[in-house]
Amino acid sequence: MASMTINSVNFGTAKAVKFEYVGLRVHQNITSVRHHSVKFAPRSLTVNAAEAHGYGPVKKMGKSDEECEAAVVAGIVPEAPPVPPIPAAPAGTPLATLPLSKRPRRNRRSPALRAAFQETSISPANLVYPLFIHEGEEDTPIGAMPGCYRLGWRHGLVEEVGKARDVGVNSIVLFPKVPDALKTSTGDEAYNDNGLVPRTIRLLKDKYPDLVIYTDVALDPYSSDGHDGIVREDGVIMNDETVHQLCKQAVSQARAGADVVSPSDMMDGRVGAIRAALDAEGFQHVSIMSYTAKYASSFYGPFREALDSNPRFGDKKTYQMNPANYREALIETREDEAEGADILLVKPGLPYLDIIRLLRDNSSLPVAAYQVSGEYSMIKAGGVLKMIDEERVMMESLMCLRRAGADIILTYFALQAARCMCGEKR
Ligand code: PBG
């Protein structure tokens, strides 16, 4: 029905305002006259084309196309609804028209136009869901990450993966909480074929054969020192010896059925070595997502609590990158590309959008961004304290990571965000 309602239109006596520009300042000269375009002032105005013309609902007259055309040619033009009056501005609004040739707001003036010109999109297929697993039967809440749990590998995990798949998130990455008694200085549990991660991969692949499983390749969950590599007596993290262990770890994960192994350790040369080790064992089809630009960030705090993997001494600054550095990310990018990485990852996410864009513009490989634990917890905390709208901030942060150039995003919000995209309310 051709009916339009304008609510709360203020057609009251307007103070017409004359002005003249002096530089950028508006000199207002308010005079109390009736605004020229204001004729009447209903609070709620309904324009109903059919009623306004007194012929009720528009009926078809049974005319042919030719008859319709002939009528118009003869000057009998069918009436359309009248042009609605211009809604009134508040009293006191200055009269102003700028001679602009460009008005970017034109392309933003309706939801349909905004949707048409949206440059970036996001879908559940872009998300990878990081999941913490442990040997237990129960799901244990992680204090520093509201809404996240150490999931029992046999029960809670399988359920959570099912929920994610229901809303289109079919990629996960596993992080194990390893019992202290299994941690050693060389992290050998990392390549135990019956360890928590390989066991879990086999279980998941059995239940969900098409699930894409990413794994973390690094020694920290298995290291009694809490470092990503083997620590020498003097505190030095040993590079090549660590890479040797990482190769065994990656092969063990591939053997269990991992689709993408993801070295997050930042040792030099590990991508090439892992590629060679995988190929030598017949795992040519297994991809490598390299943590190309992983910064020595304080945003990892909640994650380390989740896995109880804080370094026992020192920090990770001799292998993870300095947050002050930008160009150095290009060195890592070139190395990883040359060594055969399939996906390049930037971590953390939101504070490092420039690095995501840098990789995007300097490589043709897919780019991943990791919205890390600290980023997640800040948004959650802000939401719980009602300081921000959690859901909107969550969606905006993910969209911004996409806009910066990330193809995929590892995020603890994966399930919540995908539900939101599917129109489900929590
Ligand atoms: C360790 C690893 C870390 C994260 C992923 N893999 C922590 C670290 O480097 O200390 C952090 C993820 C997060 O904070 O969400 N290999």
Side-chain angles (χ1 to χ4, degrees):
M1 189 170 77
S3 159
M4 191 188 70
T5 305
I6 306 168
N7 285 314
S8 310
V9 181
N10 179 4
F11 281 99
T13 305
K15 278 184 184 158
V17 177
K18 291 181 183 146
F19 67 88
E20 42 190 322
Y21 280 111
V22 178
L24 285 175
R25 289 177 58 198
V26 179
H27 285 246
Q28 294 192 345
N29 174 8
I30 300 171
T31 49
S32 200
V33 297
R34 289 204 134 236
H35 196 287
H36 69 276
S37 73
V38 178
K39 295 274 157 54
F40 58 97
R43 274 268 154 229
S44 171
L45 170 72
T46 301
V47 180
N48 185 311
E51 281 163 21
H53 293 81
Y55 45 63
V58 180
K59 283 203 199 83
K60 286 191 186 168
M61 309 292 280
K63 284 187 192 160
S64 67
D65 289 358
E66 289 73 18
E67 286 166 331
C68 290
E69 287 192 356
V72 171
V73 171
I76 309 162
V77 180
E79 284 193 64
V83 175
I86 295 166
T93 301
L95 279 176
T97 307
L98 296 173
L100 301 181
S101 62
K102 299 212 166 61
R103 289 189 183 258
R105 287 184 56 189
R106 275 197 282 263
N107 287 345
R108 299 179 210 134
R109 70 188 189 278
S110 75
L113 287 168
R114 290 194 291 276
F117 304 130
Q118 179 160 326
E119 298 173 40
T120 307
S121 65
I122 185 163
S123 93
N126 302 122
L127 306 179
V128 180
Y129 196 9
L131 294 165
F132 300 108
I133 50 174
H134 70 157
E135 297 286 2
E137 302 260 298
E138 303 297 326
D139 301 335
T140 315
I142 297 163
M145 300 177 71
C148 290
Y149 298 80
R150 290 172 181 166
L151 300 165
W153 69 283
R154 223 192 261 274
H155 307 285
L157 171 71
V158 177
E159 250 173 63
E160 191 73 4
V161 171
K163 288 182 201 162
R165 284 164 59 91
D166 283 346
V167 286
V169 176
N170 199 29
S171 301
I172 61 153
V173 54
L174 293 171
F175 291 105
K177 154 84 173 70
V178 176
D180 275 347
L182 293 178
K183 297 183 182 182
T184 60
S185 50
T186 46
D188 300 283
E189 178 64 12
Y191 54 85
N192 172 2
D193 283 344
N194 281 317
L196 180 55
V197 168
R199 218 187 307 136
T200 302
I201 297 172
R202 294 201 298 270
L203 177 78
L204 286 175
K205 279 285 173 179
D206 182 54
K207 182 117 178 67
Y208 309 116
D210 64 334
L211 177 71
V212 181
I213 303 181
Y214 291 67
T215 55
D216 189 55
V217 180
L219 296 186
D220 53 327
Y222 311 92
S223 155
S224 44
D225 299 306
H227 275 285
D228 291 22
I230 300 173
V231 187
R232 210 167 60 184
E233 198 177 38
D234 58 356
V236 166
I237 311 297
M238 304 174 77
N239 192 87
D240 303 14
E241 298 77 357
T242 297
V243 171
H244 181 84
Q245 298 291 74
L246 299 178
C247 288
K248 293 207 250 177
Q249 181 181 18
V251 167
S252 168
Q253 294 167 346
R255 203 177 282 132
D259 299 279
V260 186
V261 298
S262 327
S264 68
D265 56 289
M266 291 301 280
M267 296 301 123
D268 294 332
R270 89 281 207 215
V271 171
I274 290 172
R275 185 71 271 160
L278 289 173
D279 291 353
E281 298 284 333
F283 298 114
Q284 282 82 0
H285 58 283
V286 172
S287 312
I288 300 177
M289 176 170 75
S290 175
Y291 284 59
T292 298
K294 176 172 179 180
Y295 287 85
S297 169
S298 299
F299 284 93
Y300 308 149
F303 174 95
R304 293 179 189 171
E305 185 204 303
L307 295 189
D308 188 20
S309 66
N310 259 303
R312 301 285 178 266
F313 66 89
D315 49 44
K316 300 192 174 184
K317 290 180 184 168
T318 68
Y319 43 108
Q320 299 180 348
M321 286 174 58
N322 182 347
N325 289 3
Y326 173 83
R327 296 165 62 240
E328 193 182 349
L330 280 180
I331 300 177
E332 294 284 358
T333 301
R334 289 187 198 116
E335 275 309 305
D336 285 352
E337 280 205 315
E339 292 177 30
D342 299 287
I343 307 165
L344 306 176
L345 183 143
V346 175
K347 177 180 176 188
L350 221 47
Y352 294 81
L353 292 182
D354 57 332
I355 310 298
I356 296 172
R357 175 48 57 191
L358 179 70
L359 266 61
R360 180 85 196 172
D361 289 344
N362 285 279
S363 172
S364 308
L365 289 174
V367 175
Y370 198 146
Q371 182 177 55
V372 301
S373 55
E375 298 174 67
Y376 169 84
S377 297
M378 288 197 308
I379 295 174
K380 274 281 169 191
V384 168
L385 294 175
K386 302 256 181 284
M387 290 175 169
I388 54 170
D389 182 325
E390 176 183 323
E391 197 169 280
R392 285 171 192 268
V393 172
M394 164 185 80
M395 291 311 298
E396 183 177 333
S397 67
L398 296 172
M399 186 63 86
C400 292
L401 291 164
R402 292 268 303 147
R403 190 201 63 228
D407 296 285
I408 58 171
I409 303 168
L410 286 70
T411 174
Y412 303 98
F413 281 123
L415 176 58
Q416 190 182 341
R419 282 181 170 164
C420 191
M421 291 176 213
C422 294
E424 279 181 34
K425 267 273 171 201
R426 268 165 64 91

